[in-house]
Amino acid sequence: MSSFPASAEAFAQVAQVAPEPRGPTTRHAAAEKGVLGLRVTYQSFDADRPWRKNLPATRFGMAALVAGPTLVTTAQNIMHATLVEAEKFGRTPRTPARVVHVDWELNLALLQVDDPAFFADLRPLELAASTPNSGTVQSARWLNQQIEVSECRVKRLQVGEARFSRLRHTYLLAQTDLSGGGWAEPVLQGDQLIGLATAQDGQTAWVVPVEMLRAFLQQARDPASGKGFPVLRLYWQWNHDPALSAFLGQEGEPQGGVLRSIPWGSTGHGVLQPRDILLSLDGHLIDSSGYYQHPRHGRLEFTNIVVEGHQVGDVVPATVLRAGQVVELELTLRPYPMDLDLILVRRVEEPPPYVIAGGLVFLELDGDYLLSWGPEWAEKAPAQLVSLYYTSEGEQTPTRRRIILLSQVLPAPYNLGYQGLRDLPVRSINGRPIDSLPGVVEALQHPQDGFHTVDFWPNEERIEAVLDAATLDEATAEILVDYQIPAAMRLPKRPLPEL
Amino acid sequence: MEGALASRAPETADEEAGRLPEIDRSVARIVNYRQEPDWYSPWDLLPVREAWGSGFVIAGGWIMTNAHVVSDARMLLFYLHGDPTPHEAQVLAVGHDCDLALLEPLEEGLLADHPSLPFGELPRLRSVVETYGYPAGGSQISSTRGVVSRIEMQYYTHPWNERHLAVQTDAAINPGNSGGPVVQDGKVVGVAFQAAAGLENVGFFIPPQVIHHFLTDVRSGTYKGFPALGVVRVSMENAAARRKAGMVPGETGVAIDLVYPGGCAQGLLEVGDILLAIDGQRIANDGTVALGDLRTDVELLIDGHQVGDPLTLQVLHRGERRELSVTLGTLPAAARFGNLYDRLPRYYVYGGLVFVPLYLETMKTFGWDWRWKADKALLHEFLFRPLAEPAQYTRERVVLLRRLDHPVNVNMAWFNNLAVERVNGRVIGSLEELIAAIAEHTGRHHLLEFSNYGCFGVIDREAAEQANAEILEQYGVAKDRHL
């Protein structure tokens, strides 16, 4: 969750001057006047050499004009943006737009266009009261100067994970004939906005529904109040197996979800226990597949219970079967900040941090680093890193917050013998356990007997690298000059979330 | 024979070129009707395949060839030059670790008239060698000529995890050449065995050192294979690392990064020790030793010994220089990390759950590119967890490979590619331990706890036992186990 300066004030001013046109309508009038294009120039950081940026590139996405007037799009669309321009197709040149609020957790962003004239021939879309769960909706985008409106069949509502975070919320799944969608195409029913397509899987659009849009707009208007959404991050499994439920002391038909682990920092940590059967939450009975009966949308995954109608800090009752006994518990709902994860899924805002010492490049293992092997990174990145990524999910502890890698060695006489080392997870430096880059810097202040000793988690290369302490700074300075690196380190701007 | 050949002048162009007609008579075409086990359905066998290779007659009336030419044989035939009659052979000895094998014709005295080829020395770099064999399954002998372009320790692809000396040549070595002799001055200086994928005109042959090691081992009565010191060594090229280890200027060696439990160095060497010399031969900081005009990995010195031989190590241990003697052994656990041949998979089926040991062969059920395709948690258990917990090397990990669907098991949430950690509370260190943990349990359910992601499952004991015979029958599994 983040906000850009001057959002609330600018918001109010623009709201006063923005016109509310009510002109003649064509067949797709609402879409034509309420759907805008975005041209985004962006420049991401080089995950492998984090001191440099990749070549700038351009992406196109959509945005919905809503009351304000203001533009809503996905956070993904403005990721690493250096220039955002809003486009009214076929009418005027593009107009610069400012990002005023981003919610990375939900993958939504709010943009502002400062020129009031921009809105002259536009009409904000009205937010629907609620998400439909049947019938048809329309997905709209501009393509080659034509508005392209696709009739979409509502398939179902389903709980899924947000793109960049562990937030699980309801999506509207719609069958669409748009190809290559998922770039924030507004989804309408009649003249009303019912969501934004944030992803498309084949011909199925995943639409963030209007309820989440409304919550986002509310938090955008008052960023100070934003605590994020409550998240129930649990590892659980079906309870379909009568043998398993009987083993866990359940009589009769299996009910509830079987919990496997409750990661440190998540809602329920310290309250729920592995092998509890979660029978009900906030009064909703949970079935053996982990679904509950939603009043409007039918069967939905139970993790949605804490998102809909609840705020961070709410206390909700939970019933579990523990060792054959029914136990009533209370869960205080917590957010699950993205940087709570041991391995960050994506580094969306801050440039990647790093530390260079004697040519040894240390960085945090994160999703961006793995993605530097391409979309098929799981089959291309070093096997130990991929294996770490999959086996370390939810494994963070108060003393294990990040996995630090020796990602590469910039070859120099000082580090001769280590120049081939790549992608080794660091266990300790000078005897101090390492789980952060500031920890690396601190440990390097304490050489032992004139040496720095870097110990790695056992790997297929080597388990120790020894460096001369007296000449480390000198060697680092020379290497920075030789390799044209502006600074020896970039540390994380924010401390990790405390609980 | 050797003397007779050397004593007369060459009479033909062939002879002048070093291509002696006698060699043709000593080179055999081998046809192997082989059948490998199916490691995914471990009670089953894959279809029979016809594979071709070459071999040559050596002293004793035996035919030498590659292990990979004769492995998993159901029927082995060989053909002699100019003779269309197939002759049956049996494997007398096989060294899968060095990809060599000896065949014996079933028909006694069959090779009496065929000259046995003598062995020569390691050929020199850039000298010319000639290969003989039956590449691509052809029925006529073929020979190619090339120069020795490189000699160094190489991974042998047949065992996958073994490295020995190998000679690289630009003489064409193609499928079917395998097992054929590489000849120089009328003597065998190697056995053709593998080509380099992705490189052109690069073939490899097994040099005399490795052949002699194999033959000596075979003649001892029981083939024991190449010995291993059982350590992981890393270079000491960094000056600071050498100073920290207490090495004086001019002193060289390699550091010990891991001592395999069950290996012969266990209890003698420690992680962090510096290995300075073996048998008095100084080890360079990059882990190589000089042997004549050859400089290659120190493992070559160990390869010069047989299992049971003593080896002298000079070691720098926490600042103190020591001389140690170690009796060389093998590393039993290493077999799990290499290709397996001539054996049927171990397995146990209970309640339709298929349990197998976690071997390289198990990982290969994900495909040749298992390192990238395998289940990531299983990969962790196979490759990375033992590095961090070396005691794991002494434990035969068991995997719940898959499930034969039946009402007794079909509702289990997790049922494939799971490394078994505990069964009914007992830590599982072998397939036999898993069987015992199941057999000795009298409770209503068996609890299976897996290493992957904290997953677990249960199976109703009585229901499983009642269903066992039915499941085996339904899925065509003749026996519930092979141990």
Side-chain angles (χ1 to χ4, degrees), chain B residues 295-375:
Chain B
R295 177 166 277 285
T296 190
D297 193 276
V298 63
E299 235 170 306
L300 183 67
L301 294 178
I302 299 161
D303 270 7
H305 288 275
Q306 296 286 346
V307 168
D309 284 359
L311 192 74
T312 309
L313 309 176
Q314 277 176 289
V315 177
L316 179 59
H317 173 77
R318 297 180 190 176
E320 180 199 336
R321 280 156 194 79
R322 294 174 170 179
E323 187 163 296
L324 305 172
S325 180
V326 58
T327 303
L328 283 170
T330 54
L331 201 56
R336 294 181 212 142
F337 295 87
N339 295 322
L340 295 175
Y341 302 95
D342 298 329
R343 66 169 85 181
L344 296 174
R346 285 155 56 73
Y347 73 89
Y348 177 56
V349 181
Y350 179 85
L353 306 177
V354 181
F355 296 99
V356 298
L358 180 55
Y359 292 165
L360 173 65
E361 296 291 351
T362 319
M363 300 304 286
K364 281 160 63 184
T365 62
F366 291 96
W368 63 269
D369 47 355
W370 57 270
R371 206 179 154 88
W372 295 274
K373 295 278 169 65
D375 177 274

Side-chain angles (χ1 to χ4, degrees), chain A residues 370-371 373-381 386, chain B residues 372:
Chain A
L370 291 168
L371 270 171
W373 275 271
E376 291 171 353
W377 60 269
E379 296 180 4
K380 295 207 167 133
V386 178
Chain B
W372 295 274

Side-chain angles (χ1 to χ4, degrees), chain A residues 315-366:
Chain A
V315 176
V316 298
T319 310
V320 300
L321 187 73
R322 181 176 291 168
Q325 303 295 316
V326 173
V327 181
E328 302 292 345
L329 302 167
E330 287 187 334
L331 296 184
T332 303
L333 300 184
R334 287 178 180 162
Y336 191 90
M338 290 159 65
D339 46 8
L340 190 56
D341 270 327
L342 181 63
I343 299 176
L344 211 54
V345 178
R346 292 298 298 275
R347 196 175 295 279
V348 290
E349 283 186 285
E350 291 188 10
Y354 68 89
V355 171
I356 299 174
L360 277 65
V361 181
F362 298 97
L363 44 76
E364 294 181 357
L365 174 60
D366 61 25

Side-chain angles (χ1 to χ4, degrees), chain A residues 237 275 379 460 463 468, chain B residues 243 257 371-372 414 449:
Chain A
Q237 65 188 48
R275 299 193 191 175
E379 296 180 4
E460 295 172 301
I463 58 169
D468 180 69
Chain B
R243 282 206 317 279
D257 249 16
R371 206 179 154 88
W372 295 274
W414 311 100
E449 294 172 275

Side-chain angles (χ1 to χ4, degrees), chain A residues 236-238 240-248 258-261 275 378-388 390-391 413-419 427 448 450-451 453 457-464 466-469, chain B residues 232-245 255-258 271 369 371-373 376-377 379-381 383-384 387-389 408-409 411-414 422 444-447 449 452-460:
Chain A
W236 61 278
Q237 65 188 48
W238 290 338
H240 290 181
D241 190 353
L244 177 68
S245 69
F247 175 80
L248 294 174
V258 178
L259 305 185
R260 286 211 317 277
S261 73
R275 299 193 191 175
E379 296 180 4
K380 295 207 167 133
Q384 187 170 20
L385 299 193
V386 178
S387 163
L388 262 176
Y390 283 97
T391 57
Y414 175 79
N415 56 46
L416 181 69
Y418 307 132
Q419 68 272 22
R427 170 148 62 180
Q448 293 175 320
F451 300 103
T453 306
W457 288 102
N459 59 75
E460 295 172 301
E461 296 285 332
R462 65 187 302 139
I463 58 169
E464 185 183 271
V466 177
L467 299 170
D468 180 69
Chain B
V232 172
R233 295 164 282 111
V234 293
S235 71
M236 286 298 278
E237 288 169 302
N238 189 271
R242 291 197 296 274
R243 282 206 317 279
K244 189 188 175 206
I256 302 297
D257 249 16
L258 177 69
V271 171
D369 47 355
R371 206 179 154 88
W372 295 274
K373 295 278 169 65
K376 307 305 176 194
L379 189 72
H380 172 77
E381 295 298 321
L383 280 186
F384 302 115
L387 289 171
E389 300 170 43
V408 77
N409 61 34
N411 285 310
M412 284 179 75
W414 311 100
R422 280 179 292 271
R444 184 177 158 198
H445 299 103
H446 294 296
L447 171 63
E449 294 172 275
N452 316 38
Y453 316 115
C455 296
F456 64 101
V458 299
I459 189 163
D460 186 289

Side-chain angles (χ1 to χ4, degrees), chain B residues 187-218:
Chain B
K187 295 179 181 174
V188 174
V189 294
V191 177
F193 81 125
Q194 63 190 35
L199 296 180
E200 285 180 20
N201 297 330
V202 173
F204 296 94
F205 60 85
I206 300 170
Q209 282 87 336
V210 177
I211 299 170
H212 290 152
H213 191 283
F214 168 74
L215 288 173
T216 306
D217 199 354
V218 168

